[in-house]
Amino acid sequence: MTTTIASGLEKARQAAQPALSKDKKTADLSRDTVDAHTSEPQTTDHGIRIQNPDNWLKVASDRKTGPSLLEDHIAREKIHRFDHERIPERVVHARGTGAFGNFTLHESAEDVSHAGILTDTSRNTPVFVRFSTVQGSRGSADTVRDVRGFAVKFYTDEGNWDIVGNNIPVFFIQDSIKFPDFVHAVKPEPHNEVPQAQTAHNNFWDFVYLHPEATHMFMWAMSDRAIPRSYRMMQGFGVNTYTLINKEGKRHFVKFHFVPKLGVHSLVWDEALKLAGQDPDFHRKDLMEAIENGAYPQWDFAIQTIPEEKEHDFDFDILDATKVWPEELVPLRRIGKLELNRNVDEFFPQTEQVAFCTSHIVPGVDFSDDPLLQGRNFSYFDTQISRLGINWEELPINRPVCPMMNFNRDGAMRHRISKGKVNYWPNRFEALPPAKAEDGGFVSYPKKVSGIKNRTLSEKFRDHHTQAQTFYNSMSEHEKSHMMKALTFELDHCDDPIVYERLAGTRLAEIDLKLAQRVAQLVGATIPDKQLMPNHGRSAKGLSQTEFPPEKPTIESRRIAILIGDGYDQVAFTGMKAAIKAAGALPFVIGTKRSPIYAQGQAPETSDGVIADHMYDGQRSTMFDATFVPGGSHITTLSKNGQLRFWIVESFGHLKALGATGEACDFIKQVLGKALDVRLASPTSAETVEWYGVVTAATPKPEGFKEGFKEGFQVA
Ligand code: HDE
């Protein structure tokens, strides 16, 4: 007996239900989720079963292929659907990836907000988070130097709340009217559409010079923050100033923060550049891999609040998105936890169609007069219309989990069917009445407004250098050196002398003369001889990423390569692999081939050997956080292989932990040669860090050694 299509689909729908206990959003999405891996036959979009999906209907015989018939409605439907698969990509943040998770609150913020999600510690609020780069197109590489988007959609019981943030706490411009100019300048240049996903070109640096307000942000963008190791290892910042309203109607200004439990970590520029070609999906895969392995990324959710009456107590304007609120003045209050624990089922309907809006707020949260936020509140709604159409909020990923009902109607692709005789308010049935504030109705904060209509910002918006200097002063020596190199790389890609002359000779000389001089020398600009603005010499907390180690020492979810060939030491290999797994990290066996590899003393007749996860030519050291080489006679083979030797050298150069036992110790020492001696002989503090990256053990026993390896790994 054949099943009907309807019951088949129902079965498919059921099969697609995630095994996880369903939160409200998961349950909601399951209404629209089907399993495509079913044995039910294919159908057309109008539901008839397709008998032959491989051949267009033709007038043909055994001997002759005749004309294809336009009559073939099945083939035409297939091609026509394909022709229209693409929608416009996001004008910025086109490249991204997302995941589901949950938000929990451990400390009520009822003193500052009456929002349910910020006061009810028993709630488990479903979330969808999308991380992104800003400049590149949808197919661009993950590891480019760029700001990362960190957009969170909370499906709260009172409606969706979106925090559409970045991994850097400030922004390039102060007024949203400048955004189109900024984005045009940062994107590929108009005459040749070059370069892709990079700020390293004339127009970006020209814009930055002409907007001194961008100085603070470009210093952040040249820091290691702009090349994160993983989306899981970066902070999230709401950037804009919002407000919170409590039960008594009192208003606080607020900034939102997410602090990763794994700590903040970055790639080094050389790794980032190589990975962009070797594995353009590096961050996307990293997030999926961690979630699949149960290493759910977590962030502390924190708020900084300032009572309304203190708005003007600071020497910067708290509504200026080019400024941070120094933690010394406004401490961070960690009140909740964000966890990502489920990958998407299908990229397009979820990650691509998700639409965030800064204006999506819930009662207890409100806007401020932050001029960047005000413009964003218009832009995000507007842009979704060209991407997704007017009914974008009906899409499964975007719809709220609380009751949603109003008289917005019609428009292209309307999906919902609203029963009833009226579609307006007020109506004779009193259908869909307004909600009182005490029943959750959203009430805008009754702020008194007065002033003169004009196009200016307050006086304090004009200080563009104090915080840029503080940021630079707060960097560790190696962070400063990375910034110098980043600036040099960028300006080296600018071929218009006016661009690199002005940037090095003016903007950088306003921040730090030594930095300006070094960059100018390297990029061929006139070397400035005076600091253009006195550096105040102050530094601040929370700016250097060295202040964000993991919450607890861990190598959880780190990728560790184990290099082997025929003749590897089995005891060291199995011991270390098990130790890596037990520590929650991910061991990858990289072999000289992906067919069986035999340990020392083993033979095909007596053993199945080990099948490597990958062969060395398909991988690079850049794709791993650490490398282990067990001893054994395979070292004779490995040491003759130029690419494996380079693997060791490259890994060492990127300050990664290298572990070795037995014969592999000499191999590593010999490959690293003088580089290793130099570091051992004169370990300056920066070099000590590099030296710690290498741990070797003379005997092939992983016990005792693995702790050192792990430690070296953390320090590096
Ligand atoms: Fe955005 N931004 N933005 N932005 N932004 C968009 O909205 C815009 C700004 C951010 O994963 C667009 O849906 C203006 C700051 C993220 O889907 C668009 C201004 C911050 C994402 C838009 C800003 C952001 C976007 C393009 C200046 C950090 C990706 C597609 C006033 C706090 C969200 C879309 C996702 C996306 C406008 C500045 C973060 C065009 C006008 C500051 C994370 O609406």
Side-chain angles (χ1 to χ4, degrees):
M1 201 178 85
T2 54
T3 49
T4 63
I5 294 175
S7 72
L9 272 181
E10 194 40 51
K11 269 203 291 179
R13 224 171 246 132
Q14 282 161 12
Q17 313 295 305
L20 279 176
S21 70
K22 283 191 218 139
D23 60 40
K24 279 190 186 160
K25 190 62 196 173
T26 312
D28 171 54
L29 288 175
S30 62
R31 287 163 40 203
D32 288 279
T33 309
V34 293
D35 187 358
H37 291 214
T38 153
S39 52
E40 291 301 315
Q42 283 183 40
T43 72
T44 64
D45 282 345
H46 68 288
I48 62 161
R49 289 182 171 183
I50 298 174
Q51 172 265 337
N52 180 343
D54 303 316
N55 295 89
W56 195 298
L57 191 64
K58 295 180 199 70
V59 180
S61 64
D62 285 351
R63 285 190 294 129
K64 196 166 112 243
T65 299
S68 300
L69 298 181
L70 194 60
E71 177 195 327
D72 189 347
H73 59 118
I74 294 176
R76 275 191 291 116
E77 179 191 87
K78 188 166 174 183
I79 298 293
H80 140 90
R81 286 302 310 260
F82 165 75
D83 289 345
H84 299 276
E85 276 180 5
R86 292 291 167 273
I87 60 168
E89 64 175 32
R90 288 165 174 83
V91 57
V92 279
H93 296 264
R95 170 81 185 169
T97 197
F100 293 96
N102 300 85
F103 175 78
T104 46
L105 190 73
H106 55 75
E107 179 194 315
S108 166
E110 64 196 358
D111 51 322
V112 287
S113 174
H114 66 86
I117 185 171
L118 297 178
T119 51
D120 184 350
T121 51
S122 67
R123 280 196 194 184
N124 191 341
T125 304
V127 300
F128 185 77
V129 177
R130 182 173 179 272
F131 301 110
S132 48
T133 54
V134 181
Q135 310 155 41
S137 54
R138 221 184 122 185
S140 58
D142 281 344
T143 59
V144 297
R145 174 175 297 282
D146 199 353
V147 180
R148 298 299 186 284
F150 193 124
V152 185
K153 189 180 283 296
F154 300 90
Y155 301 96
T156 88
D157 291 349
E158 293 81 20
N160 289 352
W161 178 31
D162 296 350
I163 297 184
V164 199
N166 278 343
N167 76 328
I168 289 181
V170 287
F171 202 62
F172 290 99
I173 48 169
Q174 297 172 318
D175 188 319
S176 46
I177 198 170
K178 298 290 332 166
F179 196 61
D181 295 301
F182 166 68
V183 173
H184 288 172
V186 77
K187 285 263 188 180
E189 298 196 358
H191 59 297
N192 57 5
E193 220 188 30
V194 172
Q196 179 56 241
Q198 294 203 30
T199 47
H201 61 111
N202 289 323
N203 286 2
F204 172 76
W205 289 102
D206 185 31
F207 180 94
V208 157
Y209 168 77
L210 294 166
H211 290 79
E213 71 204 62
T215 309
H216 189 197
M217 177 66 170
F218 87 65
M219 294 297 280
W220 279 83
M222 290 303 110
S223 78
D224 295 340
R225 304 282 184 145
I227 38 172
R229 154 66 181 81
S230 158
Y231 288 137
R232 303 174 291 123
M233 299 170 198
M234 59 184 204
Q235 279 166 287
F237 302 94
V239 177
N240 288 120
T241 302
Y242 279 84
T243 55
L244 295 177
I245 317 295
N246 70 12
K247 263 208 318 288
E248 289 75 42
K250 185 170 165 52
R251 188 165 89 126
H252 282 76
F253 294 95
V254 64
K255 291 247 192 215
F256 301 112
H257 297 248
F258 298 93
V259 187
K261 301 241 187 207
L262 288 172
V264 179
H265 305 277
S266 292
L267 300 167
V268 290
W269 184 224
D270 185 56
E271 274 179 291
L273 281 175
K274 288 172 174 167
L275 277 170
Q278 290 162 351
D279 193 356
D281 306 303
F282 186 72
H283 284 153
R284 206 175 252 208
K285 283 155 68 177
D286 168 273
L287 182 67
M288 280 189 293
E289 184 177 85
I291 293 175
E292 259 164 35
N293 283 293
Y296 299 145
Q298 294 180 339
W299 288 261
D300 276 339
F301 173 73
I303 51 175
Q304 281 181 296
T305 54
I306 298 176
E308 181 164 34
E309 61 279 9
K310 299 217 155 111
E311 176 177 359
H312 301 294
D313 285 7
F314 301 87
D315 54 13
F316 56 91
D317 197 309
I318 66 166
L319 304 183
D320 176 358
T322 67
K323 307 291 187 312
V324 292
W325 294 359
E327 284 182 40
E328 289 86 349
L329 304 178
V330 192
L332 243 66
R333 183 170 157 196
R334 298 185 188 218
I335 58 171
K337 190 180 84 182
L338 172 75
E339 176 182 278
L340 297 182
N341 48 31
R342 189 160 76 80
N343 284 317
V344 298
D345 291 312
E346 192 182 1
F347 189 90
F348 184 85
Q350 300 186 317
T351 309
E352 193 57 19
Q353 293 204 133
V354 68
F356 296 90
C357 289
T358 51
S359 52
H360 279 163
I361 51 173
V362 289
V365 181
D366 211 333
F367 309 118
S368 76
D369 289 335
D370 173 343
L372 205 67
L373 175 61
Q374 292 293 333
R376 292 182 77 199
N377 285 347
F378 164 72
S379 177
Y380 289 73
F381 250 78
D382 189 42
T383 201
Q384 311 312 348
I385 297 170
S386 63
R387 258 183 3 103
L388 304 166
I390 189 67
N391 280 309
W392 57 273
E393 301 228 48
E394 280 194 348
L395 292 168
I397 190 68
N398 293 326
R399 68 188 174 213
V401 295
C402 63
M404 194 286 288
M405 199 71 85
N406 58 36
F407 290 122
N408 294 337
R409 287 288 190 274
D410 306 350
M413 310 305 288
R414 179 68 171 176
H415 179 78
R416 180 180 248 199
I417 301 160
S418 314
K419 284 206 296 191
K421 290 187 175 167
V422 291
N423 54 2
Y424 53 88
W425 172 261
N427 59 67
R428 64 190 180 281
F429 303 107
E430 298 207 6
L432 302 188
K436 297 198 184 93
E438 55 272 29
D439 295 330
F442 184 90
V443 181
S444 287
Y445 179 72
K447 187 177 163 263
K448 207 165 164 189
V449 184
S450 69
I452 297 162
K453 208 193 267 184
N454 61 25
R455 291 183 184 272
T456 53
L457 295 169
S458 81
E459 179 69 31
K460 283 183 190 167
F461 273 73
R462 277 171 231 161
D463 168 15
H464 305 312
H465 298 90
T466 307
Q467 289 207 357
Q469 289 178 347
T470 311
F471 178 71
Y472 187 67
N473 297 344
S474 307
M475 295 295 105
S476 65
E477 282 313 307
H478 69 268
E479 285 173 306
K480 282 186 178 167
S481 142
H482 290 173
M483 288 176 74
M484 188 273 291
K485 289 186 176 172
L487 282 158
T488 308
F489 178 95
E490 298 272 314
L491 296 182
D492 176 70
H493 283 68
C494 300
D495 57 10
D496 192 339
I498 194 174
V499 173
Y500 55 80
E501 284 285 356
R502 281 166 155 188
L503 211 283
T506 308
R507 286 291 163 265
L508 295 183
E510 289 163 352
I511 305 298
D512 184 89
L513 185 60
K514 255 173 51 194
L515 171 70
Q517 288 176 328
R518 184 72 180 131
V519 172
Q521 184 195 38
L522 290 171
V523 304
T526 315
I527 299 177
D529 57 4
K530 56 176 185 301
Q531 173 87 28
L532 294 184
M533 286 184 180
N535 185 315
H536 53 65
R538 291 189 298 276
S539 53
K541 248 176 75 179
L543 303 180
S544 164
Q545 72 181 58
T546 57
E547 287 181 38
F548 298 92
E551 194 176 65
K552 56 177 175 29
T554 179
I555 60 167
E556 199 175 289
S557 78
R558 293 287 191 159
R559 315 185 85 236
I560 301 180
I562 306 181
L563 305 184
I564 59 163
D566 283 320
Y568 65 90
D569 174 346
Q570 197 186 13
V571 176
F573 169 80
T574 38
M576 182 55 84
K577 192 171 169 200
I580 291 170
K581 268 195 173 160
L586 310 175
F588 293 89
V589 179
I590 312 296
T592 44
K593 55 192 172 191
R594 206 152 72 167
S595 39
I597 297 182
Y598 299 96
Q600 196 166 344
Q602 279 182 348
E605 304 77 49
T606 54
S607 154
D608 292 339
V610 158
I611 304 286
D613 297 302
H614 297 283
M615 69 84 65
Y616 70 93
D617 215 10
Q619 306 288 304
R620 295 292 183 273
S621 84
T622 34
M623 299 170 182
F624 300 90
D625 295 295
T627 296
F628 172 66
V629 194
S633 58
H634 69 150
I635 294 300
T636 325
T637 320
L638 301 195
S639 62
K640 287 189 195 129
N641 183 314
Q643 199 156 312
L644 288 177
R645 293 175 77 91
F646 180 66
W647 184 301
I648 304 292
V649 175
E650 189 180 48
S651 222
F652 184 66
H654 293 153
L655 315 185
K656 291 174 178 172
L658 279 167
T661 55
E663 295 85 338
C665 298
D666 282 343
F667 166 52
I668 287 193
K669 281 184 195 145
Q670 186 240 331
V671 171
L672 297 179
K674 285 231 157 28
L676 197 52
D677 294 346
V678 170
R679 286 189 198 157
L680 275 174
S682 59
T684 64
S685 60
E687 282 162 352
T688 311
V689 173
E690 299 182 39
W691 158 240
Y692 274 129
V694 182
V695 179
T696 57
T699 50
K701 281 197 201 126
E703 290 321 311
F705 165 77
K706 65 176 193 269
E707 283 311 311
F709 181 47
K710 277 163 47 183
E711 189 178 314
F713 176 73
Q714 285 154 24
V715 178

